[in-house]
Amino acid sequence: MKWFNRKSNLDEMQELQLLKAESRGFWIGFIGLAVAMAVQTFLYGAESMGNMVSGEFIVFLCMGLYLIGSCLRNGIWDRHLKATPAVNIGLSLLAAAVTALFDAILSYRNYHDAFTALTVFVVYFLIISVILLVTLTVCSSLYRRRRKHLEEESDDSEPRE
């Protein structure tokens, strides 16, 4: 008896609906893990990252790396944003500001010192924005190179007259 059938039992509409459901499930899991880690870190402090959040972090990291690798391999950047330096800078600054603010709030909660919290914000903001900008720049360069390769491949496969 065959348990696994390689032939799909779904029509095209069902395949599309299944892909949408899987995509939504992935994003619910990805965002859920991010929120769970943030809440645990906020409630229990930074020391929870080593003890309580490590499993969630590993799953979150694997999901993120898979998504990045899969998109770059297929020449996909984003549905709404272009891979431009201005977008990379804006996203880097936004993500760095949100992360630095979160860490500054944690610092203020733990030490009750506004100057320390401000210092944490500035230092984290600078470090994270630079790391993210470099990462996005490298990824957008890889994306453009892969996109060019895929376009050349599709041009070569078209019949010549």
Side-chain angles (χ1 to χ4, degrees):
M1 175 190 300
K2 270 185 147 177
W3 289 93
F4 183 72
N5 184 6
R6 283 219 171 278
K7 183 180 167 277
S8 177
N9 296 322
L10 305 176
D11 62 21
E12 290 85 11
M13 180 60 80
Q14 290 171 325
E15 283 285 346
L16 184 60
Q17 289 172 339
L18 179 61
L19 287 173
K20 285 182 182 179
E22 289 171 343
S23 173
R24 286 187 187 116
F26 174 86
W27 284 110
I28 288 170
F30 192 77
I31 292 169
L33 283 170
V35 169
M37 289 187 304
V39 167
Q40 287 178 9
T41 302
F42 189 75
L43 290 177
Y44 304 113
E47 64 275 358
S48 70
M49 284 301 287
N51 301 327
M52 297 174 13
V53 185
S54 58
E56 289 98 330
F57 181 74
I58 290 169
V59 173
F60 182 77
L61 184 65
C62 289
M63 289 172 76
L65 290 174
Y66 171 77
L67 186 63
I68 291 169
S70 175
C71 287
L72 289 177
R73 185 182 30 169
N74 291 306
I76 299 169
W77 185 254
D78 186 75
R79 183 176 282 120
H80 303 291
L81 300 173
K82 301 254 186 223
T84 63
V87 170
N88 291 347
I89 291 169
L91 291 175
S92 298
L93 294 177
L94 177 66
V98 169
T99 306
L101 181 63
F102 181 78
D103 288 329
I105 290 170
L106 282 177
S107 175
Y108 184 77
R109 189 192 76 173
N110 292 337
Y111 303 112
H112 303 290
D113 183 18
F115 181 74
T116 303
L118 181 63
T119 305
V120 165
F121 178 82
V122 170
V123 170
Y124 278 36
F125 177 78
L126 292 174
I127 291 172
I128 293 170
S129 60
V130 168
I131 290 171
L132 288 177
L133 182 59
V134 168
T135 303
L136 283 173
T137 302
V138 168
C139 285
S140 63
S141 173
L142 291 171
Y143 157 75
R144 283 191 288 277
R145 186 181 318 155
R146 180 64 178 161
R147 190 79 194 154
K148 183 179 176 185
H149 176 74
L150 289 172
E151 287 172 1
E152 289 172 356
E153 220 174 62
S154 69
D155 289 343
D156 291 343
S157 66
E158 291 178 5
R160 307 217 183 230
E161 295 179 21

